[in-house]
Amino acid sequence: MSQRTLAIASKPSSIHIDQCKLLCRMNHVVRIELLRRLHALLLVSGGAEKTFISTPLVNLYAHLGDISFACCTFDQVVSNDAYTWNSMISANVRCGNFVEAVNCFFESISTSQVQPDWYTFPPVLKACGNLIEAKRLHSWVFKLGFTWMFWWLLS
């Protein structure tokens, strides 16, 4: 990414940044510095608060090993949905922050109106570090009606 692109991006009123093109370019980022530049462009253009743009950012930051920027990006989203919560839980698991992943799951079900889906439980189950956490997760699986999925995962 050139310095000219960054200079243009610093003037959001003078140019419209195509957020879809930036989203497509994010899939090819292999260095954290480039991802931060793309993220900066999205912040300037006002797209970083959108769920469909910020969630891939969370995933990429975690994939590149920067969980702190993944958390910051997650916190910037205006309304988190199940996809965003699942990405944050998986990001913590991917980076080895198992306690944070479990805490993130319990925060998602206690503070938001978002219901977990069947993508939520595998990373949380992987993150359970002891039997007490696993029992808490198991009770939520039954409470939310995911019993069929739980047995399918264990088989």
Side-chain angles (χ1 to χ4, degrees):
M1 186 161 305
S2 69
Q3 293 297 332
R4 182 179 181 280
T5 305
L6 291 175
I8 291 172
S10 66
K11 301 176 186 177
S13 60
S14 65
I15 191 167
H16 172 71
I17 297 171
D18 190 349
Q19 295 170 356
C20 291
K21 285 184 182 178
L22 285 177
L23 187 62
C24 291
R25 289 183 191 261
M26 280 194 303
N27 292 331
H28 304 290
V29 173
V30 293
R31 290 189 357 229
I32 195 75
E33 301 83 25
L34 294 176
L35 182 59
R36 287 184 183 155
R37 288 181 185 179
L38 285 173
H39 190 183
L41 287 172
L42 288 168
L43 285 170
V44 168
S45 69
E49 298 88 20
K50 297 177 183 171
T51 302
F52 76 96
I53 291 179
S54 60
T55 304
L57 278 170
V58 169
N59 291 332
L60 279 168
Y61 276 125
H63 180 71
L64 295 174
D66 194 341
I67 192 67
S68 63
F69 266 86
C71 290
C72 290
T73 304
F74 176 80
D75 291 339
Q76 291 171 352
V77 180
V78 176
S79 61
N80 293 316
D81 59 5
Y83 179 52
T84 312
W85 280 103
N86 291 345
S87 293
M88 194 64 230
I89 293 166
S90 296
N92 278 301
V93 171
R94 190 176 300 119
C95 292
N97 298 337
F98 301 122
V99 173
E100 286 298 319
V102 173
N103 290 342
C104 189
F105 167 73
F106 287 115
E107 180 183 344
S108 74
I109 58 176
S110 64
T111 62
S112 71
Q113 300 298 325
V114 176
Q115 289 290 324
D117 57 16
W118 67 286
Y119 292 105
T120 307
F121 294 104
V124 178
L125 190 59
K126 182 178 180 180
C128 286
N130 58 43
L131 191 57
I132 294 170
E133 289 175 349
K135 284 182 178 181
R136 283 180 63 197
L137 177 63
H138 185 255
S139 67
W140 274 102
V141 167
F142 276 99
K143 189 180 218 178
L144 296 170
F146 286 100
T147 54
W148 63 270
M149 190 229 25
F150 186 73
W151 295 116
W152 177 77
L153 282 172
L154 294 177
S155 61

